[in-house]
């Protein structure tokens, strides 16, 4: 079975795991805190709900669309679980503060490490559903919000690649079970005749048996005479 990060979701267990992890992590709080001294001179942390980054992470991540914060992080984490990482392009204002996080599908991003040890993302031009059109070919690490999968340092190994055999077996088992129960006919005996039957006659007999004893047949599971 050849499965991609998208078709792997047809394996019900894999779909359930990706959905559960993505939703649970997406609903966690994303607090922005500031440090300041209290009246006694001790350093304390306070929740900064008025900070623009708090609003960016908790109210509206992207200016390009109306994706809710929960959906944004659910998608990014879901991509990280199925692909090498989940990506969003960071757009900044004139003061260099982030003002928008625009999702980029992982199939359009390639992570490279320069000789100096710096990370550069090569982004393919294009536009997809829910994505901001981009014409950028190279993005600096500080301008990319990304969560990478478990694996080799900054570049993760997709679960669909690491567990492709297990996922392939699960997919094959699902297909077998669907055909097995869909057919609904367990052959425990074979009818034979010394006569030579024409193809039309054999097909008619087979259809008759399936109608009677096949899935949802009138005598399914009964005794054939």
């Amino acid at each position: 079975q050849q499965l991609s990060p998208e078709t792997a979701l047809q394996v019900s267990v894999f779909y359930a795991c990706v959905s559960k992890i993505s939703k649970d992590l997406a609903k966690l709080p994303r607090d922005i805190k500031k440090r300041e001294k209290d009246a006694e001179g001790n350093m304390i942390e306070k929740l900064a709900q008025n900070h623009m980054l708090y609003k960016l992470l908790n109210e509206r991540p992207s200016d390009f669309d109306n994706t809710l914060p929960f959906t944004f992080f659910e998608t990014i984490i879901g991509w990280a679980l199925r692909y090498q990482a989940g990506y969003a392009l960071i757009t900044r204002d004139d003061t260099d503060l982030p003002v928008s996080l625009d999702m980029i599908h992982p199939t359009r991003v390639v992570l490279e490490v320069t000789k100096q040890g710096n990370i550069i993302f090569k982004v393919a031009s294009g536009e997809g559903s829910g994505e901001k059109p981009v014409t950028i070919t190279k993005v600096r690490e500080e301008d990319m919000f990304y969560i990478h999968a478990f694996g080799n340092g900054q570049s993760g190994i997709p679960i669909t690649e690491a567990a492709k055999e297990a996922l392939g077996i699960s997919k094959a088992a699902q297909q077998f079970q669907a055909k097995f129960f869909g057919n609904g006919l367990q052959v425990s005996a074979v009818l034979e005749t010394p006569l030579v039957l024409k193809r039309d006659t054999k097909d008619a007999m087979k259809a008759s048996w399936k109608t009677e004893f096949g899935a949802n047949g009138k005598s399914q599971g009964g005794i054939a005479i």
Side-chain angles (χ1 to χ4, degrees):
Q1 295 289 327
Q2 298 295 325
L3 295 177
S4 68
E6 295 298 330
T7 58
L9 292 175
Q10 296 173 3
V11 179
S12 57
V13 175
F14 183 73
Y15 178 92
C17 291
V18 171
S19 175
K20 179 68 174 176
I21 295 172
S22 300
K23 292 180 184 297
D24 281 354
L25 292 180
K27 65 187 179 185
L28 292 176
R30 293 170 292 276
D31 295 339
I32 300 296
K33 296 182 179 181
K34 62 178 180 178
R35 292 180 177 179
E36 60 182 28
K37 292 183 178 181
D38 60 11
E40 299 176 354
N42 299 318
M43 190 65 70
I44 61 173
E45 291 185 350
K46 277 189 173 183
L47 188 63
Q49 292 183 325
N50 293 327
H51 197 282
M52 61 182 304
L53 290 181
Y54 183 90
K55 296 180 179 179
L56 182 66
L57 297 176
N58 293 279
E59 294 180 9
R60 187 178 179 183
S62 176
D63 284 338
F64 173 66
D65 55 34
N66 294 319
T67 301
L68 296 174
F70 178 88
T71 304
F72 173 84
F73 284 99
E74 179 189 29
T75 302
I76 291 291
I77 296 167
W79 281 345
L81 291 171
R82 292 182 289 126
Y83 294 88
Q84 72 278 5
Y87 302 97
L89 181 67
I90 299 175
T91 303
R92 303 176 185 272
D93 62 11
D94 295 336
T95 63
D96 210 32
L97 284 175
V99 293
S100 183
L101 298 172
D102 303 313
M103 292 186 292
I104 303 176
H105 198 277
T107 56
R108 294 167 50 198
V109 182
V110 176
L111 184 152
E112 290 188 358
V113 180
T114 65
K115 294 180 179 179
Q116 294 75 24
N118 299 321
I119 293 177
I120 292 179
F121 299 93
K122 289 188 175 180
V123 182
S125 300
E127 181 179 1
S129 177
E131 297 178 48
K132 184 176 182 179
V134 294
T135 56
I136 303 171
T137 55
K138 291 184 179 181
V139 177
R140 300 176 303 169
E141 183 180 14
E142 54 265 36
D143 292 328
M144 183 71 80
F145 174 85
Y146 69 105
I147 301 175
H148 64 80
F150 169 80
N152 302 324
Q154 300 292 344
S155 180
I157 301 175
I159 295 179
T160 48
E161 179 67 25
K164 61 181 180 181
E165 291 188 6
L167 289 171
I169 291 173
S170 297
K171 178 63 176 177
Q174 281 187 188
Q175 292 179 340
F176 172 80
Q177 290 173 349
K179 291 180 180 179
F180 180 82
F181 290 110
N183 184 35
L185 179 63
Q186 298 184 30
V187 178
S188 58
V190 177
L191 299 180
E192 295 182 351
T193 175
L195 304 176
V196 177
L197 301 179
K198 295 182 179 180
R199 170 62 63 181
D200 293 344
T201 303
K202 288 190 289 185
D203 290 344
M205 292 177 63
K206 184 187 297 184
S208 176
W209 270 73
K210 291 185 70 174
T211 300
E212 186 74 17
F213 300 102
N216 301 319
K218 293 180 292 183
S219 302
Q220 181 180 4
I223 300 175
I225 300 179

